[in-house]
Amino acid sequence: MKFQQSHHQLHVVFVPYPTPGHMIPMIDTARLFAKHGVNVTIITTHASASTFQKSIDSDFSSGYSIKTHLIHFPSSQVGLPNGVENLKDGTSREIFAKICRGISLLQEPIELLFHDLQPDCIVTDLMHDWTVDAAAKLGIPTIHYYSASYFSNCAFRYIAKYRPHDDLVSDTHKFTIPGFPHTIEMTPLQTPDWLKVKNTANSKLFLDLAPTFESEDRSYGTLYNSFHELESDYEKLNKTTIGIKSWSVGPVSAWVNKDDERKANRGHMEKKFGKEKELLNWLDSKPNDSVLYVSFGSLSRVSHAQIVEIAHGLENSGHNFIWVVREKDKEEDKEGFLHDFEERMKESNQGYIIWNWAPQLLILDHPSTGGIVTHCGWNSTLESVNAGLPMITWPMFADQFFNEKLLVDVLKIGVSVGSKLNKFWLGIVEEIVVKREEIAKAVEILMGNDQEGKEMRTRAKKLGDAAKRTIEEGGDSYNNLVQLIDELKSLKISKALCS
Ligand code: UDP
């Protein structure tokens, strides 16, 4: 055993929120805590656990003190089939609302568990804002897990506070985010609904999903899956103006998922490593830096009209690509456009379609991959940065438009495809379709031989090197994690002395 579990060992409970963009980085972080000598318990439901349990079992067999505590998801109570417990399974507005309701019903059993387990600290997702009060009642400190950037947290807070968009005559006019060290311009259309709309019944769902600053303010501090070199100005801005303790410990996915099998299986129903061989062979057959990876994350869906434009844009660009498409889009594609496109790509060998879920870490870290088209979800952004890849930015909703600004305007490692509308994945407003010519143009800038693309690639590689250094012993993220754990240990000791 590397770490004997003992009475004196720091016990930290993690409460992830069941959507891949929140759950994946929190599980990676929980594993990191365990690898640094902490006794870790992850509270989750059965279906969610099936996406990461193998990693936990393997860490446990290696001598780390980590386990999953399963609670029952109230499927029948909310009218859902068994196993539908994750927001990514919400294929309609109705199912989505039921999953949210099911998640909210977990509050009571989780509170009871806090009481039984009496951990030294609870690391909780920003969406579980109620945990802060539940923990406070038991005298347990909570660490807020913010699976997004410092940049976007500052933007959300500053726009919510100063409302620079309120006096604009149109939603398409630009405003500047106040108080930022860089001039960041955007339109109200690009901000999330909850920032725009007043509290009406119609906006209830959006408002429920809005980050709860209040609970963050009452937490002991916030953990960021970020690193110093990536957004140092905003890390500083956050610390000096928002005044909440924070620790940057990213990129966590690179820190704990080192071998191909871990990379392939991370975040999805785990299976035997092997199916990826065909994909790896395809990638191996391509020259270095020649393949563009196209993915819009785990929640976003695009319209059929947009799918057609993407397909033509990629094909017309002439560059190699891997594109992750939802199986449901194929099922709904009555004319067989996607089927024909896949066949054509197989013949020409220019493109490789992955249905539903891609082994993203494996693809990003392959030497043939040279760039990504991304919806700018924070995890995909960090994973691409870590792989040293420049990006075509195609934000869709939530914080993604802020992440685009960081990538394009601050770090200068992204080309914007020109996305205009921040809409939740259920898409209740008319979609603005990005045309094939615009897509092909962005691909040419990113993957072609022009100076702009070359400079972007150089900057991205440099940032990728910094990402790798920061998690090595002595690096900033490494030190931050060690320092946080030490601080929590001191808290535990002083609490014991006082009782
Ligand atoms: N992911 C993956 N394969 C997929 C889609 C997503 O591995 O086909 C992972 C991705 O690597 C990232 C997470 O799921 O870790 C998605 O989080 P992100 O913040 O990028 O976007 P979201 O899905 O929350 O919109």
Side-chain angles (χ1 to χ4, degrees), residues 19-22 24-25 28 88 147 253 263-264 266-268 293 295-300 324 326 354-361 364 374-383 397 399-400 403:
T19 183
H22 289 224
I24 289 174
D28 286 343
K88 79 168 169 31
S147 47
S253 65
K263 285 182 192 172
R266 193 226 30 181
H268 196 51
Y293 171 65
S295 167
F296 300 108
S298 64
L299 297 179
S300 296
V324 193
R326 299 254 177 278
I354 295 180
W355 299 103
N356 267 348
W357 186 267
Q360 182 159 308
L361 288 187
L364 294 178
T374 175
H375 69 308
C376 303
W378 185 240
N379 298 288
S380 297
T381 300
L382 260 181
E383 290 158 13
F397 72 96
D399 58 333
Q400 296 159 10
N403 298 337

Side-chain angles (χ1 to χ4, degrees), residues 104-123:
S104 70
L105 292 176
L106 299 176
Q107 180 172 341
E108 203 184 316
I110 294 178
E111 279 198 44
L112 284 175
L113 261 180
F114 288 169
H115 187 268
D116 292 349
L117 295 170
Q118 294 285 337
D120 300 308
C121 174
I122 295 167
V123 178

Side-chain angles (χ1 to χ4, degrees), residues 270-287:
E270 290 165 332
K271 53 194 175 336
K272 226 171 167 290
F273 185 60
K275 206 175 162 284
E276 291 75 18
K277 288 272 153 55
E278 183 193 300
L279 168 70
L280 287 176
N281 285 342
W282 187 86
L283 273 166
D284 287 344
S285 74
K286 300 292 179 190

Side-chain angles (χ1 to χ4, degrees), residues 56 85 178 202 270 272 295 299 310 335 386 394 418 470 482:
I56 305 302
E85 301 173 6
N202 227 1
E270 290 165 332
K272 226 171 167 290
S295 167
L299 297 179
I310 295 171
E335 279 158 23
N386 182 65
W394 193 323
T470 195
V482 172

